[in-house]
């Protein structure tokens, strides 16, 4: 079932969902299941599975030359989605990115998703390769997420890259990312909202936001979206603080502000055990306010850990 159908069927009730990371190469799939199992009591209608770009490693050969090697440290998004749908009977939402793929490879993976009965896709431009610093698209791929959305939407209309090999039309529900505090590459929020509108106009069906800790940022973002004609569901992304280092790590990685009240509460903690409890309390209060305002879904970024999310959900659902 489509994410938008789940939201419609809930008739105003806030749903629970979460995102997982594929395990690192060589790890057991059971690692995924052990993090999903504790959260199934809250009846998530869908679970997101991230996709991670290739990385470059440089290794010195016996002759002294340096060899550039391409590696994927977290493969398996397609297989994990299939396993989730088979084991838990819930919709898996794979992430699909621009980086590292040409248009034909993108089409092929979309055909695979369709064969597997996957109804939803979260379309993203994706991050740059860590060693490069700036995003570089594939020479025969997409530079921006709205272009990728258009390719998915074309397939939904039965339009493939090579008509002579055309299959039937797909019917993907397309999610995209939104940034309440703007994408770090955008000069300002209004410009970023214009880019978001381009993705909507290309055929996107719903938005999932970057994590945030100040609800006013989300509410203002939603208002601005509505003012420019964006009417699709806007799902807030939630990430509990759990260690002191999050005060520097999260703003650095995700380019977000953290409320001073939260910062002071974490700084007063004697150890990470206390930070963990502060994070739970803050997130519960944050989510209660969001639910009171009728958000369609609370979408948690689990980062491979589910215990604190389970404790939070226990107080909400």
């Amino acid at each position: 079932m489509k994410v938008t159908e789940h939201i419609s069927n809930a008739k105003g009730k806030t749903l629970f969902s979460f995102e997982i990371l594929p395990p690192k190469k060589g790890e057991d799939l059971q690692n995924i299941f052990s993090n999903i199992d504790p959260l199934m009591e809250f009846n998530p209608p869908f679970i997101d599975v991230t996709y991670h770009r290739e990385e470059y490693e440089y290794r010195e050969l016996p002759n002294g030359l340096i060899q550039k090697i391409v590696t994927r440290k977290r493969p398996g998004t397609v297989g994990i989605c299939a396993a989730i749908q088979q084991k838990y009977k819930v919709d898996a939402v794979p992430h699909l990115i621009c980086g590292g793929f040409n248009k034909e490879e993108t089409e092929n993976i979309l055909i695979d998703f369709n064969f597997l009965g996957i109804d939803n896709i979260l379309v993203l431009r994706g991050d740059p390769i860590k060693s490069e610093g700036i995003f570089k698209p594939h020479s025969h791929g997409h530079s921006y997420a709205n272009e990728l959305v258009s390719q998915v939407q074309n397939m939904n209309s039965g339009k493939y890259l090579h008509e002579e090999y055309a299959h039937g039309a797909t019917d993907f529900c397309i999610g995209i990312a939104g940034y309440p505090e703007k994408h770090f590459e955008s000069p300002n929020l209004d410009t970023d909202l214009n880019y978001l509108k381009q993705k909507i106009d290309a055929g996107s069906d719903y938005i999932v936001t970057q994590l945030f800790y100040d609800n006013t940022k989300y509410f203002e973002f939603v208002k601005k979206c509505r003012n420019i004609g964006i009417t699709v569901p806007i799902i807030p992304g939630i990430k509990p603080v759990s260690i002191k280092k999050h005060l520097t790590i999260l703003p650095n990685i995700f380019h977000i502000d953290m409320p001073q009240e939260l910062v002071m509460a974490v700084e007063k903690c004697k150890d990470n055990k206390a930070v963990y409890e502060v994070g739970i309390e803050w997130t519960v209060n944050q989510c209660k306010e969001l639910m009171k305002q009728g958000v369609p879904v609370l979408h948690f970024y689990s980062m491979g850990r589910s215990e604190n999310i389970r404790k939070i959900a226990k107080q909400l659902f």
Side-chain angles (χ1 to χ4, degrees):
M1 187 182 294
K2 296 180 178 181
V3 167
T4 50
E5 291 174 330
H6 285 299
I7 292 171
S8 178
N9 291 343
K11 301 185 184 303
K13 179 183 177 181
T14 300
L15 301 172
F16 166 84
S17 71
F18 59 95
E19 175 185 294
I20 62 170
L21 306 176
K24 289 184 178 180
K25 186 183 295 185
E27 292 183 358
D28 197 306
L29 186 61
Q30 188 57 44
N31 292 345
I32 290 285
F33 295 153
S34 64
N35 283 306
I36 294 176
D37 288 344
L39 301 177
M40 291 308 297
E41 66 175 291
F42 309 111
N43 299 313
F46 60 92
I47 299 170
D48 277 38
V49 183
T50 63
Y51 189 91
H52 292 255
R53 281 208 65 170
E54 75 277 14
E55 295 181 19
Y56 296 148
E57 293 182 358
Y58 296 89
R59 299 178 186 175
E60 185 175 355
L61 301 176
N63 60 8
L65 296 176
I66 302 297
Q67 182 181 23
K68 181 180 180 180
I69 298 174
V70 178
T71 64
R72 294 189 184 273
K73 293 186 177 180
R74 291 184 182 271
T77 296
V78 177
I80 291 167
C81 286
I84 287 173
Q85 296 203 155
Q86 175 67 25
K87 179 176 175 63
Y88 298 104
K89 311 304 179 188
V90 302
D91 286 298
V93 183
H95 291 195
L96 184 66
I97 63 174
C98 296
F101 294 101
N102 63 37
K103 294 175 185 178
E104 290 204 13
E105 290 168 332
T106 297
E107 183 174 281
N108 288 336
I109 196 170
L110 286 166
I111 291 171
D112 286 345
F113 287 150
N114 192 48
F115 283 158
L116 290 169
I118 290 170
D119 296 324
N120 306 278
I121 295 171
L122 189 72
V123 170
L124 308 159
R125 188 201 68 176
D127 296 325
I129 295 174
K130 291 180 180 179
S131 59
E132 293 183 343
I134 60 172
F135 179 81
K136 296 180 181 179
H138 191 286
S139 58
H140 298 290
H142 298 296
S143 300
Y144 304 102
N146 67 298
E147 298 172 351
L148 184 51
V149 170
S150 293
Q151 182 174 1
V152 180
Q153 193 57 254
N154 282 340
M155 291 179 63
N156 281 349
S157 300
K159 299 176 183 177
Y160 289 70
L161 295 174
H162 305 290
E163 292 299 328
E164 64 269 27
Y165 300 117
H167 300 253
T170 57
D171 190 25
F172 293 115
C173 179
I174 305 170
I176 54 174
Y179 299 85
E181 299 174 65
K182 87 174 185 64
H183 191 279
F184 74 98
E185 293 178 3
S186 290
N188 55 61
L189 182 56
D190 287 336
T191 299
D192 200 40
L193 286 166
N194 289 333
Y195 293 145
L196 183 64
K197 185 65 163 54
Q198 290 176 18
K199 292 188 284 185
I200 294 296
D201 292 343
S204 305
D205 298 296
Y206 69 97
I207 297 167
V208 181
T209 77
Q210 177 67 280
L211 59 90
F212 59 92
Y213 294 93
D214 182 350
N215 284 349
T216 60
K217 303 280 189 182
Y218 169 81
F219 296 137
E220 290 170 2
F221 174 73
V222 172
K223 183 178 180 180
K224 285 178 177 288
C225 285
R226 302 309 185 214
N227 287 342
I228 63 171
I230 295 175
T231 61
V232 302
I234 301 176
I235 298 171
I238 308 295
K239 165 81 175 103
V241 169
S242 57
I243 58 175
K244 270 197 174 184
K245 286 184 178 180
H246 277 165
L247 292 185
T248 52
I249 292 174
L250 296 179
N252 182 54
I253 294 176
F254 300 106
H255 306 276
I256 56 170
D257 288 334
M258 303 186 82
Q260 184 62 15
E261 183 183 352
L262 175 59
V263 172
M264 291 175 63
V266 170
E267 287 179 340
K268 289 179 182 177
C269 293
K270 294 182 179 180
D271 52 33
N272 281 333
K273 183 177 180 180
V275 175
Y276 183 87
E277 296 301 325
V278 165
I280 290 174
E281 181 181 4
W282 182 275
T283 305
V284 167
N285 290 331
Q286 181 183 6
C287 290
K288 283 181 177 179
E289 183 180 24
L290 291 167
M291 294 175 77
K292 187 176 180 180
Q293 295 298 316
V295 299
V297 185
L298 291 173
H299 186 69
F300 289 87
Y301 297 114
S302 73
M303 306 296 187
R305 295 178 175 83
S306 59
E307 183 58 29
N308 56 349
I309 295 174
R310 188 188 69 82
K311 290 181 178 181
I312 291 162
K314 275 278 191 184
Q315 300 184 56
L316 301 171
F317 296 96

